[in-house]
Amino acid sequence: MKTSIKLTKLPVDIERISTLPARRALDAGLVTEADLLRLKVIARLYARGLPSHISWSDLLQEAFTRMLEGSRKQPAGVPMVAFLAGVMRSIKEQYWRQYRKGARQRLKSLANIGIIELQDEELTDPAPSPERQLIAIEQMAMINGLFEEDLPARQVIAALYDGLTPEETCSTYAMSTTDYDSTRKRIRRAIIRAGMRFEP
Amino acid sequence: MMTTRSDLGFERLLSAIAQDLIDASEEEILTTVNEFGLRPGMKGSVALFGVTFALRRYIHKPSAFRTGKSSINVGTTRGRRRPKGDTPSST
């Protein structure tokens, strides 16, 4: 027997659980669409430092989730975009800490059943995982690839990578302050464009 | 010659660029997005795809950062089983 049920008003809870956290934040007036565009680009940037099975959308939505559920609170005086960018960064670091912890536990388990021999220093080695280092190397190549025809941009990127100040960068690469600033702006725009590319 | 550990250098670069993005004016962000052919203010624009809307299979997949039954259902965990014939809510 066919029955027809008309739902003229979705229960609030069903609406809530099927709406992305960023959408809920937008609807609540906590962020603007311009903020969300900026955060999308930042999320796509930060996600470059994560394994490929973790999407930038996961990172972004998790940051909004933690803000909405109250586990991360916006400090006074910190703008929402800067706050959420910080949350995304800390989520990323948390992921790698748990990844390393898991890797060490697996090593210990293998050692306990005699498959491998483990030295004590292997468990306390502060070096990052090979996967994280490999991701960094690959992503650096991809970012540099965005500026194949732009040597000053690649120089500034190398300087940022090495932690040089703007003054040190200008001195190292015989660059004027004006050229340095305009190069940073070009890099920023290219990253924004890269962050807006459609991804299904 | 300075040798920078790859992950540290990369994170420094990401942080510097992210700070530039945070500091950039709204006008610059919107102008660059518009130059790319996206019109964020238009209905149906894909500019916020993955942010305020996504393919249904991505809405109801478990978050990569949450595992186990203790996850709070805030829209990134596995959705309820939908009765046959029930129309999906808009994304």
Side-chain angles (χ1 to χ4, degrees):
Chain A
M1 183 172 80
K2 199 175 179 180
T3 56
S4 173
I5 302 172
K6 282 189 181 177
L7 293 172
T8 54
K9 283 184 184 177
L10 283 174
V12 169
D13 283 344
I14 292 176
E15 182 73 19
R16 181 178 62 81
I17 63 175
S18 60
T19 304
L20 290 172
R23 177 82 231 182
R24 288 169 48 212
L26 180 67
D27 291 344
L30 299 171
V31 288
T32 63
E33 283 197 351
D35 290 339
L36 291 179
L37 283 173
R38 201 188 296 255
L39 285 164
K40 176 175 180 173
V41 178
I42 293 172
R44 291 192 76 160
L45 185 70
Y46 277 150
R48 287 178 179 269
L50 288 166
S52 57
H53 69 273
I54 298 176
S55 76
W56 62 268
S57 183
D58 270 343
L59 185 62
L60 179 67
Q61 301 301 343
E62 180 65 22
F64 272 105
T65 298
R66 294 187 188 193
M67 185 265 292
L68 289 169
E69 72 186 16
S71 59
R72 293 300 298 266
K73 292 190 186 336
Q74 182 183 4
V78 177
M80 182 61 80
V81 170
F83 162 62
L84 287 167
V87 175
M88 283 194 274
R89 199 168 143 188
S90 93
I91 290 170
K92 202 171 84 160
E93 290 307 317
Q94 183 185 19
Y95 170 83
W96 284 115
R97 277 197 303 274
Q98 286 173 341
Y99 181 92
R100 277 177 66 189
K101 189 176 167 186
R104 284 174 182 161
Q105 282 169 345
R106 282 190 291 276
L107 282 178
K108 272 168 100 170
S109 301
L110 290 173
N112 286 343
I113 58 175
I115 290 180
I116 59 169
E117 279 186 24
L118 204 58
Q119 306 298 324
D120 284 342
E121 53 268 24
E122 288 182 81
L123 290 176
T124 55
D125 183 3
S129 70
E131 184 180 11
R132 189 173 188 183
Q133 289 183 307
L134 182 60
I135 287 171
I137 292 167
E138 287 176 343
Q139 289 299 323
M140 276 306 297
M142 286 179 66
I143 288 176
N144 275 317
L146 296 174
F147 305 98
E148 258 179 350
E149 310 293 322
D150 191 343
L151 176 62
R154 294 202 309 278
Q155 288 171 336
V156 169
I157 286 169
L160 292 171
Y161 178 91
D162 287 332
L164 299 185
T165 64
E167 295 74 25
E168 287 168 337
T169 306
C170 290
S171 169
T172 302
Y173 296 108
M175 202 182 277
S176 70
T177 306
T178 307
D179 285 345
Y180 177 83
D181 290 343
S182 66
T183 303
R184 286 284 291 255
K185 197 172 179 181
R186 272 201 313 285
I187 292 171
R188 184 163 73 234
R189 287 197 168 167
I191 296 295
I192 292 171
R193 283 192 286 269
M196 284 292 130
R197 287 200 181 99
F198 178 72
E199 175 189 299
Chain B
M1 185 174 118
M2 192 183 341
T3 304
T4 301
R5 210 174 81 185
S6 60
D7 60 304
L8 288 181
F10 182 58
E11 291 304 323
R12 259 200 298 261
L13 174 66
L14 293 188
S15 295
I17 298 176
Q19 192 58 50
D20 279 358
L21 292 168
I22 290 168
D23 295 338
S25 68
E26 192 169 300
E27 186 187 350
E28 183 181 348
I29 302 280
L30 291 174
T31 302
T32 307
V33 170
N34 284 331
E35 281 170 6
F36 196 59
L38 296 171
R39 299 288 183 264
M42 275 181 61
K43 193 178 175 181
S45 168
V46 296
L48 288 176
F49 184 85
V51 182
T52 55
F53 67 100
L55 294 175
R56 289 198 54 74
R57 66 175 184 269
Y58 291 109
I59 290 176
H60 293 295
K61 74 177 177 71
S63 166
F65 300 102
R66 295 193 176 221
T67 55
K69 295 178 185 175
S70 60
S71 304
I72 296 172
N73 187 351
V74 288
T76 57
T77 56
R78 203 176 293 282
R80 64 187 172 91
R81 185 185 290 275
R82 188 172 295 286
K84 201 172 176 181
D86 189 5
T87 52
S89 58
S90 64
T91 55

